[in-house]
Structure formats: structure tokens, C-alpha cells
Amino acid sequence: MLNLENTIERFKDLLTQNDEQLLKEELNNLHYADIAEIFEALTEEERLKSFNVLPEDDAAELLEFLSPQIQVEILSDLDEEKASRIILKMPHDSVADVLGDLDDSDSENYLNKLPERISNQIRELLSYPEDSAGGIMNSDVITVDKDMTVDEVVSFLRIKAETDKVELLYVYVTDKSGHLLGVLSLRSLFTTPPYVKVEDIMIKDLVKVHVDDDQEIAAETLSKYGILAVPVVDHYGKLKGIVTWDDAQDVVEEETTEEILQSSGIATDVVDEDEILQGPLLMAVRARTPWLLITLVGEFIAVTVAKYYHITLEALPLIAIFMPLLAGLGGNIGTQSITLMVRGLSTGQVTLSDALKQIWREMRVGILIGAAFGILVMFITWGWQHNITLGIVVGSAMALNMSLATVIGTVTPFMLKRINIDPAIASGPVIATTIDVLGLAVYFSLVTFSLKWLI
Amino acid sequence: MLNLENTIERFKDLLTQNDEQLLKEELNNLHYADIAEIFEALTEEERLKSFNVLPEDDAAELLEFLSPQIQVEILSDLDEEKASRIILKMPHDSVADVLGDLDDSDSENYLNKLPERISNQIRELLSYPEDSAGGIMNSDVITVDKDMTVDEVVSFLRIKAETDKVELLYVYVTDKSGHLLGVLSLRSLFTTPPYVKVEDIMIKDLVKVHVDDDQEIAAETLSKYGILAVPVVDHYGKLKGIVTWDDAQDVVEEETTEEILQSSGIATDVVDEDEILQGPLLMAVRARTPWLLITLVGEFIAVTVAKYYHITLEALPLIAIFMPLLAGLGGNIGTQSITLMVRGLSTGQVTLSDALKQIWREMRVGILIGAAFGILVMFITWGWQHNITLGIVVGSAMALNMSLATVIGTVTPFMLKRINIDPAIASGPVIATTIDVLGLAVYFSLVTFSLKWLI
């Protein structure tokens, strides 16, 4: 692999020396993906300078490897005429992505500069919701007519491959008005006699998605059926584009990020994930507040529970110091159970029909660890406070609390899933609070019950 | 899309009626991916019955779509001769995966039944660590000799495509002794005159990985360079296999799962992720205990802090009831910050050079939300306890605690990353405990300071 740090060093040197010739050579030797990584480490000015050294074809290819922020930055910094020429060389879906990230007026500006046929196609792509199959598809698809012969298709592809930069994964077969009829694998073109009509060798029973389908459905379809691209059709069954494996990869990454953020109580459904990290501050606040408010309500219930035992607390204030210990470990082991179940449900490693088996398993894990930690805490407390009763009370509370936490952490995701609520969204904060409330109740009951031996 | 529940119903009915002919037809109409989903919902007996209805070619294809557990189950239930015949029809990497999941004696049994050339190849695959590029690669690769012409390659591929089931993504070029020299895209075969030697059109400067490289490196290479397969070479530069996009997809899913589990303090480095959910109970305990022990130590520090203020606590035991409220909300908002940073660092949306910018941003988010919640809590406490000083103390502690928690939650992942510790592993439990300790210290200091106005 490339030693990126050294290359960045050398790169920065060349930029300072203003040696365009060497810079060009250096860029020529690197893969776009590597240049993109180097670009991340440069300043805005350095990026623009390096970008301008590249021939426009290469510049268009490189642009696709850059992050959306840097794409927008470079396009805004570039001379407008040049930017338009580069945009014209990019695949339509990438152009739609970049223009979608620009201000409306800037993106209109570029669209007006493009040839009408292309700007219409891109406008159509921009009209689909960003997270729909239509929003991520590429409308540059290679289609052939059902009446063509294998030989005709091969010649057609030969010409296409020379002139276009379209990715060649499958060949789709349509009728004269563009309705999707079937698909050809490249392999079948190799193995069929040249005079056969494609209609007779195409796979008719093909998997497809609808322009309005959620992007996640498109990605899941690719992964489930193990295919490299899925065709996207409109209401009339006309082929509008394809979603390819690399689009699907991006979707999976995005969905995973949402799942992870939601599990910590960040509402990615109200605020876009990029905005939370980079958008206006109030957007970040808005994404993070809802679940904190729910936690606030839950914790005030915990406060009420503790208040209920105020007589016990006043009789023996020392017992309060163990509250964080119990809450901390209960919360921790409970979170482990939630995380295991939520992730398992999301990858399919755990299913609803496993619920009882998993609950029973987690319960035993909880009891085992709870007992061990209970005994440990008992001895520590006893040794530290020289009070064996206190040791027993705190130790028992710990064991009960940890066992209880695993059960709640395991049962809740299954229950939510059963009533069709995404367990990733609601589990974390609600369960943590529930564990806090129940844990306190258990602890204070135990203390109250044993108070006469404690004082 | 397919209505899976109805299909499962119908399927189970056919199985009860023992109607093999209809069952065969039903299976024939379904994609393997759908059959695999139906199989998940059947009992072991029903699965075996349905599997036995399939022709052996289809059975081999279906097997690849099934989960490892069900693969092993079916192979163990099948007649051994039949199982061997089916294994022979599967790609080598899938066979190695299945045999790797069987008991050693069972897998030896099957290996001995296979033709020696194939069993040797599979033994070699089994010899690489499960999570290395060698361990996930497929050794069935289409290679051509550098001296072949384009025309010869096309004829060769035509024969290959008819007889073999090898996936055709790229064509690799080697010398006589198998050293990897370059790669051909299918596109280039379409567009080059037939008499040209492949040596002259192959891409020589190709990306590759080493058999011993971690599987994650192989997956990252595919994703970074946007390619469908990466060749895997040994120490001598000989081509040993390829890692394809679908292998990479599995790796990414596995690594994401590990990242998610680690963030909740489950040690996936000592116990394999499958074992935590399905292995012996003690393995699950072993994976979950280390971070709980660290939390235990941390929380005993929190207990010590609380104990330090025992005079305050004895003077006003009521203040203890607000401890879970402060710890709960501090923990919650801190976890949000950690999650945002850890995930951002892992996807590359946040980089080390952003550290200051992100810390400053999170700090302002924390102060904004902290102030709002502080004021809210102040009014609630005041209204509830009719004690404005208590309201002010609890409210200020809340504001300070939440602001502090965001800062700790943001700074720590960057610090860990800086010293090359994976922030996903260590962040969660350690930070939660730190927030607990500091939060308590802040709260009790405030209470102690204002004690004379509180009583």
C-alpha cells in the first residue's frame, strides 16, 4: 500500500515550489482514490491549485472520489465555464448528487449551462427524494431492444464501451417505448450463438425496484439476491435507471450510521445526519433534545422513587453513596444486552422466533455475572465499611439489579420489534431509565427491610 | 416484492400434504434468496425434506444463500454421499466456509471424499486465518497467459462460461508460473482488435492485497478504489485468489457489528461475535466481564467521592435523591457526543484535524442544552420542593454536568485516536464512569458550598 503521509509531504513541497510539471507527474502516478485522500489533508487553496493542474477528464473522474463537502468547495472555487465542462463529463447520478448539495441558485446556474437533454435528465433525478431509489439511481443505463440479435448487441456494446463511460454490469432489454422486459448477463452474450434474438435468452423474471421505494429497499435487494445492480422502474414499468453496488454500499453505510446514532438517542429522523455534525448548531440541539427530555421524565420518576424512601435515607444517609455504583453497573450490563439484541435483530442473526431462547440465555448470563459481581461488591463493601450487613445488602442489590437489567435489556427490543417499532430508536434511553428506576426500588426496599440490622 | 408470510404458509401446507410434485414447482418458481428466507422459518425436519426435493445443482446454489448454522445442520442431516456431491458443486471459498464451521473430524471426512486437486485447494484455504484476505478469498479465478491474444482470451472465456460457474468480473493475467502481472476489464475485450496480445492492453499497475492481510484491508481496498474484486497474492507475488464485492460486504457487516458491540463494552477481540450470541454461556460471560470490572473500579471511585461529602449528605439526606437524575442525563448527553465522534471517525466524516472544530461545536451544543435543561430542572425542583435554593443548586449542577459531559465525550475519542487506541473499544464505559465521578464532585461541591442556605 501507499505510504500516504510521505506522499502528502512531497505533495505539499511541490505545491510550495510551484512546480506544475512535477505535480502533474505525481498526480498521474496516483489512483484517484489516493489523490482524494491526499486532497483531504490539503488546504482549500492547495486543493484548487492541484485540481487545476489535472486534465479535465481526470478532474471529472477525481471529483467522484471526493467527499461532498470538497466537491462543492472545488466547484464553487473553479471558473464557472470550466466547472460546467467538468460536470458534463461526470455520470448523471454523481452530477445530481453534487448539484443537490449546492445552493439552489448555483445548481440552477449549472443546469442552465448544460445541454437540454442532459439537464432534463438531471432535473428528473433531482426531483426524486434524496433517500429514494430514484434519488440514488443512475439514469445512464445501457438498454437494447428485444428484437436485436446477440450479434447486434455485441457490436452495440463495442461502440458504447468506446465512447461512453457507463459501467457495464448487465444489459437491460426494453420494448420500443422503454418498458423493462428482461436482463442479459454479459456471460450469456459470450455463450449464445450470434443470430439468437435477445428476447429468447433474456431473464424475464427479474428483480426490480420502484423509483419511489426507499433507498434501503434497493440496497437490501442487491444484497439479498447477490446482484451488482438493480433496475429502477416507474409506475408504468418503464426503466428509469439502475442502482449499482457502490450506491448500495453508501446506503448501507448511511443506514448503519443512523442506527448507531439512534441507539444513543440522537433523532436522525428529524435532522439529517450530516447536519448534526456540520449544520447549524440549533439543528444539532434539535436532534439531541427529544430523547434527553424523555430521559428527564424517566429520571424524575427515579427521583420520586428515591424520595419515597426518604425516611430510610434520613435514618442512614450513607446508603446513598452506593446509588451510582448500582445504577452504573446495571446500566452497563443492560446496555450490553440491548446492543446485542438490537444489532442481532438488524443483521438477522437474531430473529423474533429466537426471543424466548435469547431471553433465557441472557437471563442466565445476567444471573451469573450478577452473582459474581454481587459477591465481589459484598466483600469490598464489608472490608471497606466493616459492616457485613451493609455488604450483604449492597451485594444482593447489585446481583438483583444486574440480573434484572439483562432481562429488561433483552425483552424490550423484542417487544418493540413485535409491535413494529424499530428497536434501534427507542431502546437505549428508555431502558437505561427503566433500569435506574427499578434498580433504585430494589435497593431501597432491601435497605428499608434490613434497616434494623444496619444501624 | 414477494409476500413471504403467505408463501411460508403455503409451503408448510405442501409439506404436511407431502406433495413432492407441487413442492418442487413452488421451489422452482422462487429465487434462492427467497427460499433461504423461507428455510429460516421452517423446522429442521421440514428443511431437510424441502432440500431433498431439489435437484443437486440447485441444492448447491441454495446452500450458499443459507446461514452458516443451517448449512451445517443440513449437511449433517443429509446422506453423506449426497452431501459430498453437493459440496463438489459449490465454489471453493463457500466450501471452505462450511467445512470450517463443521467439527474437524466431519470436515476431514468430506475432504477425503473430494478429488485430491480440489481438496488440496480447500485445505489451503482452510489454512489461512479466518479473518485474513486468504481466509475469505475464492481460489477459483479466471487467469490467462500474458502471451494470449484478445481473440484467444474471448474463446477461452466462452468455454469457461459454459462449463464453470466462476463469477466473471475481471480477467487476471499471469506468467507461466502463476505470478500476477496485470488485469483486463471485460470492457477492454470488447473494444480491442482480436489479434492484440493481452500483455499490451492489460492494466499493469493494479491494486492487490496479500494473503496474510487482514480481511478489513481487502474490504477497504475494494471500497476505496471502487472495484468489484481484488486479487490476493502470496509472498512470491503468485495469484492465489480473489476477494469479491460480496465477500467485502460480509466483512463490512462483521466489522460494523464488532464496532457496535465494542462500544457497549463487549470484548469482541477475545470472543468471536457468533459465540457471544450462540456459543457456550461462559464465553458470553467472558466477553462481557472485562469492561464491567473496569466500570466497577470507576464506580467505586464515584462512591468514594460521594463518601467524601458524607457530612453534607448527613446534614441534608434529601440531596441524594437527585443523584440518578444528574448521572442519567449527564451519561445520556455524553454518550451522544461519544457516539457521534466515534462513528464519525470510523466513517471518515470526522478526522483528527477536525478535533478542535468538533470539540468547540459540541461544547456549545452542551452548554445550550445544559442551560435549557438546568433552567427546566430548577423550576421543576423549586415547584416540587418549594425550595428555590435547592432548585438553583440542582439546576446549576445539571447545566454544568451536561456541558462537562459533552466535552469529555468529545475530547476522549480524539485523544484515544491520537495515541492509536481504537476509540470504539474504550470510549463507552470509561467515559460514562468519568462523567459519573465528575458529575458527583460538581454536585456535592455545589451543595456543600450552598449548604447554609439550603437547610
Side-chain angles (χ1 to χ4, degrees):
Chain A
M1 288 274 116
L2 184 77
N3 183 328
L4 210 64
E5 296 208 358
N6 288 351
T7 316
I8 293 173
E9 283 294 283
R10 208 169 51 238
F11 219 84
K12 290 208 170 226
D13 281 347
L14 291 178
L15 279 164
T16 342
Q17 292 158 25
N18 237 325
D19 192 333
E20 256 193 39
Q21 198 44 46
L22 272 180
L23 200 64
K24 210 175 228 166
E25 265 173 42
E26 182 81 38
L27 283 168
N28 220 355
N29 288 329
L30 288 167
H31 189 282
Y32 300 115
D34 294 315
I35 303 179
E37 275 194 28
I38 295 171
F39 265 45
E40 298 272 340
L42 300 181
T43 65
E44 177 166 353
E45 205 189 329
E46 289 170 337
R47 274 197 280 265
L48 184 64
K49 211 166 172 186
S50 322
F51 193 83
N52 272 325
V53 170
L54 285 169
E56 287 178 9
D57 279 325
D58 293 351
E61 294 249 20
L62 170 62
L63 215 52
E64 286 194 70
F65 282 88
L66 295 170
S67 70
Q69 295 94 312
I70 297 187
Q71 287 180 337
V72 169
E73 174 204 295
I74 290 183
L75 283 184
S76 323
D77 288 350
L78 273 186
D79 167 76
E80 242 183 54
E81 291 305 320
K82 184 169 179 182
S84 303
R85 285 196 305 274
I86 289 175
I87 284 179
L88 202 54
K89 291 178 200 285
M90 292 168 67
H92 297 174
D93 61 335
S94 307
V95 176
D97 286 346
V98 177
L99 295 188
D101 284 333
L102 287 176
D103 292 338
D104 280 352
S105 64
D106 286 348
S107 107
E108 261 312 304
N109 222 336
Y110 284 118
L111 281 171
N112 292 335
K113 285 213 173 69
L114 296 175
E116 203 177 317
R117 190 183 59 86
I118 295 174
S119 72
N120 281 346
Q121 278 197 32
I122 293 171
R123 270 181 228 275
E124 189 182 334
L125 286 180
L126 283 170
S127 74
Y128 298 111
E130 228 184 304
D131 56 358
S132 68
I136 59 168
M137 73 184 181
N138 190 346
S139 52
D140 269 344
V141 198
I142 296 184
T143 58
V144 297
D145 190 89
K146 68 181 170 59
D147 294 324
M148 284 167 87
T149 62
V150 168
D151 197 34
E152 284 169 331
V153 171
V154 171
S155 322
F156 172 73
L157 290 183
R158 193 162 286 158
I159 298 165
K160 270 283 178 189
E162 264 171 30
T163 55
D164 267 20
K165 297 220 160 179
V166 179
E167 222 175 337
L168 190 58
L169 299 169
Y170 304 104
V171 178
Y172 295 95
V173 185
T174 56
D175 63 14
K176 299 268 178 290
S177 35
H179 295 98
L180 177 64
L181 300 177
V183 63
L184 297 171
S185 65
L186 295 182
R187 172 197 295 265
S188 69
L189 294 176
F190 273 120
T191 52
T192 316
Y195 49 81
V196 174
K197 270 195 175 181
V198 293
E199 201 178 6
D200 299 326
I201 56 158
M202 69 186 184
I203 300 163
K204 286 178 193 120
D205 189 16
L206 79 174
V207 197
K208 56 190 172 230
V209 296
H210 192 271
V211 274
D212 292 330
D213 280 340
D214 194 282
Q215 57 176 358
E216 214 176 334
I217 291 183
E220 277 167 8
T221 305
L222 284 179
S223 142
K224 175 175 170 187
Y225 294 100
I227 48 181
L228 292 168
V230 64
V232 186
V233 296
D234 67 7
H235 290 279
Y236 310 105
K238 285 192 186 174
L239 180 65
K240 304 306 284 186
I242 52 170
V243 171
T244 55
W245 61 285
D246 43 341
D247 304 321
Q249 227 174 26
D250 294 342
V251 172
V252 170
E253 185 170 296
E254 204 181 309
E255 301 285 339
T256 308
T257 299
E258 285 187 10
E259 185 186 321
I260 293 178
L261 297 189
Q262 283 169 349
S263 74
S264 75
I266 297 171
T268 50
D269 43 339
V270 292
V271 181
D272 191 67
E273 163 225 331
D274 295 333
E275 300 247 56
I276 297 174
L277 277 175
Q278 264 123 8
L281 216 55
L282 281 179
M283 294 296 257
V285 171
R286 197 170 147 219
R288 294 170 67 161
T289 311
W291 282 107
L292 290 173
L293 279 173
I294 292 176
T295 308
L296 187 72
V297 173
E299 294 296 350
F300 261 110
I301 299 176
V303 171
T304 315
V305 169
K307 176 95 196 296
Y308 175 81
Y309 292 97
H310 65 104
I311 297 174
T312 308
L313 198 56
E314 274 154 27
L316 190 65
L318 182 72
I319 57 154
I321 66 172
F322 295 101
M323 286 160 66
L325 177 69
L326 293 167
L329 279 157
N332 224 316
I333 198 171
T335 304
Q336 290 182 341
S337 303
I338 301 165
T339 308
L340 275 175
M341 294 309 124
V342 170
R343 180 62 186 166
L345 284 169
S346 135
T347 60
Q349 255 199 315
V350 173
T351 57
L352 264 186
S353 54
D354 295 339
L356 285 180
K357 206 180 82 192
Q358 287 298 340
I359 294 171
W360 171 229
R361 181 183 170 87
E362 281 295 300
M363 208 158 140
R364 284 176 299 159
V365 170
I367 291 172
L368 268 175
I369 300 183
F373 275 69
I375 293 170
L376 192 63
V377 166
M378 184 193 79
F379 279 113
I380 298 174
T381 310
W382 178 21
W384 186 40
Q385 297 293 326
H386 307 296
N387 181 339
I388 188 168
T389 320
L390 187 65
I392 293 173
V393 168
V394 176
S396 319
M398 178 64 86
L400 277 170
N401 195 9
M402 288 181 87
S403 312
L404 203 61
T406 52
V407 176
I408 298 172
T410 315
V411 171
T412 319
F414 286 114
M415 272 174 27
L416 291 172
K417 177 92 181 179
R418 190 77 197 81
I419 53 172
N420 281 322
I421 296 178
D422 182 358
I425 298 182
S427 291
V430 169
I431 298 181
T433 314
T434 313
I435 293 172
D436 266 11
V437 172
L438 290 180
L440 279 178
V442 166
Y443 178 51
F444 278 113
S445 311
L446 279 176
V447 173
T448 309
F449 174 77
S450 6
L451 202 58
K452 54 179 173 234
W453 299 289
L454 278 171
I455 307 183
Chain B
M1 290 272 120
L2 182 76
N3 183 329
L4 210 64
E5 295 206 1
N6 289 351
T7 316
I8 293 173
E9 276 306 275
R10 208 167 50 239
F11 219 82
K12 290 209 170 221
D13 281 348
L14 290 177
L15 279 164
T16 341
Q17 290 158 25
N18 237 325
D19 192 335
E20 257 194 36
Q21 197 45 46
L22 273 180
L23 200 63
K24 210 175 228 164
E25 265 172 42
E26 183 81 37
L27 284 168
N28 220 355
N29 287 329
L30 289 167
H31 190 282
Y32 299 116
D34 294 316
I35 303 180
E37 276 194 28
I38 294 171
F39 265 45
E40 298 272 340
L42 300 182
T43 64
E44 178 167 351
E45 204 190 328
E46 290 170 336
R47 275 196 279 266
L48 185 63
K49 210 166 172 185
S50 324
F51 193 83
N52 271 325
V53 170
L54 286 169
E56 287 179 8
D57 279 325
D58 294 350
E61 294 249 20
L62 171 62
L63 214 52
E64 286 194 71
F65 282 89
L66 294 171
S67 70
Q69 296 94 310
I70 298 187
Q71 286 179 336
V72 169
E73 175 204 295
I74 289 182
L75 283 183
S76 321
D77 289 349
L78 272 186
D79 168 74
E80 242 183 53
E81 291 305 319
K82 185 171 180 183
S84 304
R85 286 196 304 273
I86 290 175
I87 284 179
L88 202 55
K89 291 178 200 285
M90 292 168 67
H92 297 175
D93 61 335
S94 307
V95 176
D97 286 346
V98 177
L99 295 188
D101 283 332
L102 287 177
D103 293 336
D104 280 352
S105 65
D106 286 348
S107 107
E108 261 311 306
N109 221 335
Y110 284 119
L111 282 171
N112 291 334
K113 285 213 172 69
L114 295 175
E116 203 176 315
R117 191 183 56 85
I118 296 175
S119 71
N120 281 345
Q121 278 198 32
I122 293 171
R123 270 180 228 276
E124 189 182 336
L125 286 179
L126 283 169
S127 74
Y128 298 112
E130 230 184 302
D131 55 359
S132 68
I136 59 167
M137 75 185 180
N138 190 348
S139 52
D140 267 344
V141 199
I142 296 184
T143 57
V144 297
D145 191 89
K146 68 180 170 58
D147 294 324
M148 284 167 88
T149 62
V150 167
D151 197 33
E152 284 170 328
V153 170
V154 171
S155 322
F156 173 72
L157 289 183
R158 193 161 288 160
I159 297 165
K160 270 282 180 193
E162 265 171 29
T163 55
D164 267 19
K165 297 222 159 176
V166 180
E167 222 175 336
L168 190 59
L169 299 168
Y170 305 105
V171 178
Y172 295 96
V173 185
T174 56
D175 64 13
K176 299 269 179 287
S177 37
H179 295 98
L180 177 64
L181 300 177
V183 64
L184 297 171
S185 65
L186 294 184
R187 173 197 296 269
S188 69
L189 293 177
F190 273 120
T191 51
T192 316
Y195 49 81
V196 174
K197 271 195 176 184
V198 294
E199 200 178 8
D200 300 326
I201 57 159
M202 69 186 184
I203 301 162
K204 287 179 193 120
D205 189 15
L206 81 174
V207 195
K208 56 189 171 232
V209 296
H210 192 272
V211 274
D212 292 331
D213 280 342
D214 194 284
Q215 56 175 0
E216 215 175 334
I217 292 183
E220 276 167 10
T221 306
L222 284 180
S223 143
K224 174 173 170 187
Y225 294 100
I227 49 182
L228 292 168
V230 63
V232 185
V233 296
D234 67 8
H235 291 280
Y236 310 102
K238 284 192 187 174
L239 181 64
K240 304 305 284 184
I242 52 170
V243 171
T244 55
W245 61 284
D246 43 342
D247 303 322
Q249 229 175 24
D250 294 341
V251 172
V252 169
E253 185 171 296
E254 202 181 311
E255 301 285 340
T256 309
T257 299
E258 285 186 11
E259 185 186 321
I260 293 179
L261 296 189
Q262 282 169 350
S263 74
S264 74
I266 297 171
T268 50
D269 44 339
V270 292
V271 181
D272 192 67
E273 164 224 333
D274 294 331
E275 300 247 57
I276 296 174
L277 276 176
Q278 264 122 10
L281 216 56
L282 280 179
M283 294 297 255
V285 171
R286 198 172 147 216
R288 294 171 67 162
T289 310
W291 283 108
L292 290 172
L293 279 173
I294 292 175
T295 307
L296 186 72
V297 173
E299 293 297 349
F300 261 109
I301 298 175
V303 171
T304 315
V305 169
K307 176 94 199 295
Y308 176 81
Y309 291 99
H310 69 273
I311 296 172
T312 309
L313 198 56
E314 273 153 27
L316 191 64
L318 182 72
I319 58 155
I321 66 171
F322 295 101
M323 285 160 68
L325 177 70
L326 293 166
L329 279 156
N332 224 317
I333 198 171
T335 304
Q336 290 183 341
S337 303
I338 301 164
T339 309
L340 274 175
M341 293 310 124
V342 170
R343 180 63 185 167
L345 284 168
S346 136
T347 61
Q349 254 199 316
V350 172
T351 57
L352 263 186
S353 55
D354 295 339
L356 285 180
K357 206 180 80 193
Q358 286 298 341
I359 294 170
W360 171 230
R361 181 182 170 87
E362 281 295 300
M363 208 158 143
R364 285 176 298 158
V365 169
I367 291 173
L368 268 175
I369 300 183
F373 274 70
I375 293 170
L376 192 62
V377 165
M378 185 193 80
F379 279 113
I380 297 175
T381 310
W382 178 21
W384 186 41
Q385 297 293 324
H386 308 293
N387 181 337
I388 188 167
T389 320
L390 187 66
I392 293 173
V393 169
V394 177
S396 321
M398 179 65 88
L400 277 170
N401 195 9
M402 288 181 87
S403 314
L404 203 63
T406 54
V407 176
I408 298 171
T410 314
V411 171
T412 319
F414 285 114
M415 272 173 29
L416 290 172
K417 176 92 182 178
R418 190 80 198 77
I419 54 172
N420 280 322
I421 295 179
D422 182 357
I425 297 182
S427 291
V430 169
I431 298 180
T433 313
T434 313
I435 293 172
D436 265 11
V437 172
L438 290 179
L440 278 178
V442 166
Y443 178 51
F444 278 112
S445 311
L446 279 175
V447 172
T448 309
F449 175 77
S450 3
L451 201 57
K452 54 178 174 237
W453 300 287
L454 277 171
I455 307 183

